[in-house]
Structures are given as C-alpha cells and as structure tokens.
C-alpha cells in the first residue's frame, strides 16, 4: 500500500479538530443520529444525505468508530457490487475548485490509466500461474519432445492431431469404423460423439488461420494430456483402432501430412504436454515411455508412415471424453472453449462472450461490474470469475446467471479470481474416465492472494485451502 | 378537482403504507401510524429544506419526495419498534424473539469480551424496554428509531455508540489520572498563538500545510473518509469496503491512487508557492518529524460544528428515553 505523506495524516486530524469535533470528546453535539449512520452503512441514504454523513465522518472519529463497530459480525450484509467509478462519482467534486482539479487530474489520469493497463496485463501473467504454466508447456515441450519421441512419430501425430480436429467427418469416420472391443465401450462411443475438443479446434484454427483468435492453440494441449492419461492403458485399443481405420481416412491423413509438412513447433506443442502431464501418474508415465517404442514397432508392422498418425488420431478421439467432461473445465482460462451445446466461450476485455456458430460470430453474454478474468464450463454449466471476487454461475448455457458470493468461516472471497477448475467431485472416477460428467461439480477457485477455494456442492459452501 | 384527486391519492398511498407496515397487528391505528410517518418526514426532509425556507419546498417535498422517502423506510420494523415503545405486549414478544439473542451476539462482537458483552447487551435492553419510567410513563429508546435503516443495524449502531461512550469515559478518567501523575497541572497553559507559531515553524511549513489542505480539500468526502479511516483509524481494507459498499480491491486501488495523487498535488502546490521541485520534495519528506502539533490545545478549543438535521444535539448516544426529535 502506498503511504501518504505524514503531513496528510496531521492535516486530516487537524481538520477534524478545527471543525470542533474533538476526537476524544464524545460530549459534542451535532452528530448524525443512529438511524442515519445505520442507513449510511447499509447504503440506503440518498446521495445528498450520504455526502452529508461522509463530510461528518471525515471529521468525527467517534462516528467513524461507531460505523465500523456497528458492521455486522459476518458478511451477511448484501454489499452492492458497484464499480469504483460509480462510488467516486457519487460525491460531488469540491464546488469551489473544480477547474484546478480537472487540469491537475487529467494528465495523471491518463498516465494512471496507462500504468493500470500495464499493471493489469502484468498481473494477469504474474498472478495466474496456471495459465502461465500452461502457456509455458509448449516451450518446454519443444525441448522434451525430440528426446522423448522419435521425430517422425511426433510429427505425424501432431499433424494428424490437427487433422482430426479440423475435419469432423474424419473424426466421425474414426468413431464408426473401429471394431475393437473398446469401441463397444459406451464411454468410448460417447466420447467420440462429442464435439471436437477446443484444443484441437484451436490448433486447427492456428494452422488454417481461419480464426482471428489463435492464442489458445498452444494452450489447448491438455487435450493431449487427457489422451496420455486416459488412453495409455488402452493403447492397444488405439492401435487396433488405427489398424482398422479405413483407407479413406489414411488417404486423407496422408494428404494432410503432405499438404502441411511437419512443423517442428506444432508437433512439439502437441505431444510434449502429454509427456509432462503423464509424469505425475506413475503408471501413465511408464506406459507413455513405452509408448514411443511401441509406436515405432507398430509403425513397422503396419509398414506405413501414416500408421502413427492414425493411431495418434485415434488416441486423440479417445481422449475426448476426458476433454469434454473434465478437462474442459481445466481449460477455464483458455481463450475459448466449445461446450456440449456447441456454444463457444471467450473472455475479451473482461466480458464473457459466447458464440453459437463455433466462433464465427460472437456476442457479449455477461458483463459484470468487475472485469471477468476466467471461466470454466461443463456442458451447459458455466462458471466465470473476475476481479474483486466476482463469480457468476449459469446452468443453462449462459441464458441466466446467478452471482455467487463464496464465503468460508465468515470470510468472504474478495480477491481476484484467476482460475476456475470445474470437474467431478470424485477425482478418482475422473481419472478412470467413468461418470465424469455425473454428480455435483467440484469447483476450485484460485484467487489472487494465492488461496484455493473449493466447493463440492455447486457453490453452496466453500472451503479454503 | 385536482386537489381532491391529489388528496385521494395521498389517502390511498397512506392506506397502502399502513397495510404494508402491519401496524394493525399491534393495535396501532392509521392515524397513529400517519403521525409517526409525519414526524419522521419532518425530521429528515422538512428540516433539510427549512434551511432554505420557501413556500414551494414543503409542497415539493410532499408531492414528489414524500413517496420516495416513505418507500425507503423499513415500515414493518418501524411499526414493531414504535409498538414496543408504546408498550404493546405482542410487539415485545416479537421483538424479544427476533432480537434478544442477537443483542448478545452484537455485544460480543463489539466488546470481544463476554462479561462486558453481557453488561452492554443488558444495559441496552433495559434502555429499549424503558425501565427508567418517569411519571409512570415508560421511556423506551425504541421511540427514536425512524426506520431509515434496518432495526438490527440500528441496534448495532446504538450499541456501538454506547460502547464508545463508555470507552471514552473510561479513557478520559484514566488519562486524567495519568496527567496528574505526570504533573501536567503544573505545566504552563498552552498558548494557542504561540503553539501555532511553533507548529508553523517557518514559511516552508506554512506552505506545506496550506498545500496539503488544498490538496485534501480537492478530494471528495468519500476519498477523505477513506484516507481518515485507513491512515488515522487503522481500519482494514475490508472494513472500509463494507462501510462504503465497495470491494476490498477497490478500496486498495483507491488508496494507492489517492496517495499518489496527494503527493503530486502537494508538490505542485508547493511549487506554485515558489519552491523548487527539489526543495518541495525535501520539505514533503522531511516534514512532520519535526512538526509538532499541539493536539491537546486543539482538543480544548471550542468552535462551531456542522449541525445535522434531526440531530438530537446531544451525545451521539442518546440517553435512555431521549427522543431524537
């Protein structure tokens, strides 16, 4: 907190004394009555009355103490969320010297706005470790990918990964054609029927330049993460799926490969997160480490350079269950997302925007009193958070919103919400890939003061970690 | 004809308010209720317009602002409080069931001490009940409640004022004893003029004070309240935010902005008074450590204070049974 010069302290104190409202003498008349002080604290005074009370409070420490002491013990008072600008505009500027203030304030305001912009941008990158880590994953992966995976496999899987996302027909083709035992798994079927994951979608956009918004291209790699975690155990299934892919698919994938030669950056970006994310899970790690050699063997067996690409594509499609169900929530701070109802979401300049046509056109959906910073979605359920503890929740795809005020042990969340993770309250079932879309959501909020707020009952109660 | 139509509307509006208040349940008739509303209206709206007496004021108030003012009142709680003050048993039962336990919680929140809390809550409840009867008439503190804010908030405020009064009284007593121990009574009385000269020190100090006063005067009342609460009273950002109905982060940003702006404005004011930038900065940084305000002399000075409409003209906490009117 910036300190004010000490002369300001003394002049404030002296001003109170000059006005004849001694700080230590309560036997002084002309204080506002308890009704006015109560109405002031409850924000129910008219502007003129409020200004009058404020003018008195500036000079009267007794009444300031009274107002502060009379605050309710818990945050049960509905505090109207109003932007600071409104609160500042409410009191009229000093009538005697308006012009000097404007002349003085205008340049500083411009600089303050510029500085605030820089601070906001800086804080977004500094205070959102989740996003930072995610955005850093590609760069880290660029170093890891060449060592962990054979370049041809990485290139083919990456390129094909984008091809799957870019062409829904191909995805459907893969969905239908597998004859493996896993293909009969309802989960497997469901996941393939889901819409393309935003990660793949963003990668497609990044490659084809069909969308002006591409920053999510690299940040969407969690899709591959889910792929590694979820399908590492079932890679045999994926391989079978690849082998059973039709010639048409292979041809189309081949055309993708030939038309867009392996981009080192892209291929690294696609596969590396899978490696990194697989690290925490021991079984997944081993399976992933074994995956690359086995990929090479299978590539020889199929005697086709496209086989790894097809297998990677199958893995990508198999991972869609995790992506659409649980990992979609983990990408809450990604630039955009596609929900099950085909709504795409994005946050632009603090406003939550929604697209009903896969990103072709966008409409403002929610403009809160404070700028929104992040969101998370699971089907029609959307959570979005922003500055000052602003949280809104929608269960109908953004048609209606309800403001949520998390509080725990009498303490209300008032810091900025940097990240929202939305997933199943049962993490174990989530990792096993079953019923991830069932049950109440586990909402995890990362606030600006490095606190984690968790709710497992749709935001009714919260716990701070 | 328009007059009769207006009076009809007024009567209809009054009937609506009466129905909304639930005053009938406590045996309060419409005339009594209307008289209470008129008193409150006179206290707040008409008293403010009386500063500029004009024939149009009262009619203006009665025509347009009256409805808005009444709409903002807590009519149900106002009725409950006034019925309690009038000694209605049913109203007291309702009041006790709603607020008796809360009074103890409020007191505990304020005093942070269970013994003091019990004493404070019981004392206030006695004042509310009006045990200090005069001429057989019970004088309840609830008669001063006007419904501008919630009844619970009003109870908290009254309790906080009572607590502060007690605290100040105790502090003054202790302070006086300390002064006697320190031999203050043998010290020469402070000379305000000499003190002022000493405070001012030199021209630079005068410039600094006047520049600071100007910079503060340019701020809004809310900004100055924020500064005083944070820097003088040591209130937390959360407390200030709740008082002003803002978010904590907004108060934090505001304080940063104010600190920066004040420093710049004071420096600019000093430069306007002929000081170089370096000297102004030096004066701003070096000041106050040598500046000795004789607060005690200022405490004892007597000057007029801003009068609040409807103020009791008494101590912030009204005595038992005293009306705010």
């Amino acid at each position: 907190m910036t300190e004010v010069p000490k002369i300001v302290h003394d002049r404030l104190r002296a001003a109170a004394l000059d006005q004849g409202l001694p700080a230590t003498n309560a036997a002084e008349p002309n204080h506002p009555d308890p009704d006015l002080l109560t109405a002031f604290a409850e924000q129910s005074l008219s502007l003129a009355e409020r200004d009058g009370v404020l003018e008195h409070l500036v000079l009267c420490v007794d009444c300031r103490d009274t107002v502060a002491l009379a605050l309710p013990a818990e945050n049960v008072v509905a505090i109207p969320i109003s932007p600071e600008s409104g609160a500042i505009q409410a009191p009229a500027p000093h009538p005697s010297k308006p012009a000097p203030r404007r002349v003085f304030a205008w340049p500083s305001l411009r600089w303050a706005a510029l500085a605030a912009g820089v601070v906001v941008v800086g804080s977004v990158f500094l205070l959102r470790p989740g996003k930072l880590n995610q955005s850093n994953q590609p760069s880290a992966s660029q170093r890891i990918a060449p060592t962990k995976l054979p370049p041809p496999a990485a290139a083919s899987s990456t390129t094909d990964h984008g091809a799957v996302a870019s062409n829904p027909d191909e995805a459907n083709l893969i969905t239908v054609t597998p004859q493996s035992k896993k293909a009969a798994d309802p989960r497997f079927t469901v996941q393939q029927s889901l819409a393309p994951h935003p990660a793949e979608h963003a990668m497609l956009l990044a490659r084809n330049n069909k969308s002006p918004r591409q920053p999510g291209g690299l940040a969407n790699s969690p899709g591959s993460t889910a792929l590694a975690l979820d399908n590492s155990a079932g890679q045999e299934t994926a391989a079978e799926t690849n082998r059973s892919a039709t010639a048409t698919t292979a041809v189309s994938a081949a055309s993708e490969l030939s038309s867009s030669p392996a981009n080192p950056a892209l291929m690294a970006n696609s596969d590396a997160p899978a490696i990194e994310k697989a690290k925490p899970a021991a079984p997944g790690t081993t399976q992933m480490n074994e995956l690359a050699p086995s990929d090479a063997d299978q590539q020889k067996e199929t005697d086709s350079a496209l086989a790894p690409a097809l297998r990677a594509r199958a893995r990508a499609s198999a991972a869609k269950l995790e992506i659409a169900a649980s990992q979609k929530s983990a990408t809450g701070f990604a630039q955009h997302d596609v929900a099950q109802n085909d709504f795409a979401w994005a946050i632009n300049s603090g406003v939550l925007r929604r697209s009903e046509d896969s990103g072709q056109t966008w409409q403002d959906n929610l403009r809160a009193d404070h700028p929104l910073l992040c969101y998370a979605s699971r089907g029609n359920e959307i959570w979005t958070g922003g500055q000052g503890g602003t949280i809104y929740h929608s269960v109908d795809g953004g048609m209606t919103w309800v403001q949520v005020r998390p509080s725990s042990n009498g303490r209300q969340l008032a810091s900025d919400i940097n990240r929202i993770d939305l997933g199943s309250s049962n993490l174990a079932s989530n990792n096993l890939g079953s019923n991830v879309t069932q049950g109440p959501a586990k909402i995890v909020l990362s606030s600006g003061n490095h606190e984690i707020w968790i709710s497992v009952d749709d935001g009714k109660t919260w716990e701070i970690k | 004809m328009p007059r009769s139509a207006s009076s009809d509307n007024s009567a209809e509006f009054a009937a609506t308010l009466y129905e909304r208040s639930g005053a009938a349940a406590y045996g309060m008739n419409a005339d009594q209720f209307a008289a209470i509303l008129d008193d409150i209206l006179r206290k707040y709206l008409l008293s403010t317009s009386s500063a500029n007496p004009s024939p149009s004021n009262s009619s203006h108030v009665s025509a347009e602002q009256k409805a808005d003012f009444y709409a903002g009142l807590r009519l149900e709680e106002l009725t409950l409080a006034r019925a309690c003050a009038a000694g209605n048993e049913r109203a007291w039962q309702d009041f006790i069931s709603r607020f008796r336990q809360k009074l103890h919680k409020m007191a505990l929140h304020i005093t942070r001490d269970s013994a003091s809390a019990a004493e404070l809550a019981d004392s206030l409840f006695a004042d509310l009940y009006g045990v200090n009867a005069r001429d057989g008439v019970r004088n309840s503190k609830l008669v001063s409640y006007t419904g501008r804010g919630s009844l619970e908030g009003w109870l908290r405020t009254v309790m906080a004022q009572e607590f502060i009064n007690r605290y100040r009284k105790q502090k003054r007593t202790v302070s006086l004893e300390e002064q006697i121990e320190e031999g203050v009574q043998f010290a020469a009385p402070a000379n305000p003029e000499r003190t002022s000269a000493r405070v001012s020190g030199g021209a630079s100090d005068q410039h600094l004070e006047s520049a600071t006063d100007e910079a503060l005067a340019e701020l809004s009342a809310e900004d100055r309240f924020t500064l005083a609460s944070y820097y003088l009273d040591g209130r937390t950002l959360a407390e200030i935010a709740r008082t002003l109905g803002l978010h904590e982060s907004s108060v934090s940003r505001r304080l940063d902005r104010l600190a920066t702006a004040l420093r710049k404005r004071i420096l600019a004011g000093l430069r306007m008074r002929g000081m170089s930038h370096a000297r102004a900065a030096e004066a701003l940084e070096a000041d106050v450590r040598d500046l000795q305000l004789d607060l005690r002399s200022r405490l004892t000075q007597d000057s007029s204070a801003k009068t609040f409409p409807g103020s009791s003209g008494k101590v912030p906490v009204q005595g038992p049974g005293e009306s705010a009117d």
Side-chain angles (χ1 to χ4, degrees), chain A residues 26-168:
Chain A
E28 188 66 26
N30 308 320
H31 295 269
D33 59 29
D35 291 273
L36 278 180
L37 291 180
T38 304
F40 168 78
E42 294 176 351
Q43 320 296 328
S44 56
L45 286 181
S46 65
L47 278 183
E49 284 179 311
R50 187 171 189 271
D51 281 346
V53 173
L54 273 172
E55 288 286 359
H56 177 87
L57 289 177
V58 169
L59 304 176
C60 181
V61 67
D62 277 347
C63 290
R64 286 202 304 270
D65 285 346
T66 300
V67 171
L69 276 177
L71 288 173
E74 298 177 353
N75 290 330
V76 293
V77 172
I79 299 177
I81 298 177
S82 59
E84 190 188 8
S85 57
I88 292 175
Q89 289 168 2
H94 197 272
S96 59
K97 298 172 184 176
R101 184 183 180 185
R102 285 195 197 101
V103 172
F104 184 84
W106 173 239
S108 56
L109 278 178
R110 285 185 299 178
W111 284 109
L114 180 62
V118 172
V119 168
V120 167
V121 171
S123 61
V124 163
F125 286 99
L126 290 176
L127 300 179
R128 297 173 68 183
K131 179 163 187 172
L132 191 63
N133 293 338
Q134 193 175 14
S135 60
N136 283 340
Q137 286 174 359
S139 58
S141 65
Q142 289 174 8
R143 296 190 303 270
I144 298 173
T147 59
K148 292 283 186 182
L149 289 177
S156 59
S157 63
T158 301
T159 309
D160 196 64
H161 188 73
V164 172
S166 62
N167 193 345

Side-chain angles (χ1 to χ4, degrees), chain A residues 147-200:
Chain A
T147 59
K148 292 283 186 182
L149 289 177
S156 59
S157 63
T158 301
T159 309
D160 196 64
H161 188 73
V164 172
S166 62
N167 193 345
D169 293 336
E170 291 184 12
N172 293 335
L173 189 60
I174 291 179
T175 301
V176 174
T177 52
Q179 298 300 321
S180 65
K181 52 191 175 186
K182 281 280 183 179
D185 187 345
R187 176 174 65 85
F188 196 69
T189 307
V190 168
Q191 73 185 28
Q192 292 181 345
S193 65
L194 294 174
H197 185 260
E200 303 163 350

Side-chain angles (χ1 to χ4, degrees), chain B residues 267-288:
Chain B
L267 287 175
L270 290 175
R271 285 201 299 272
M272 285 177 61
R273 286 163 175 79
M275 295 177 72
S276 67
H277 180 78
R279 194 178 164 202
E282 184 183 0
L284 189 59
E285 298 301 329
D287 183 70
V288 188

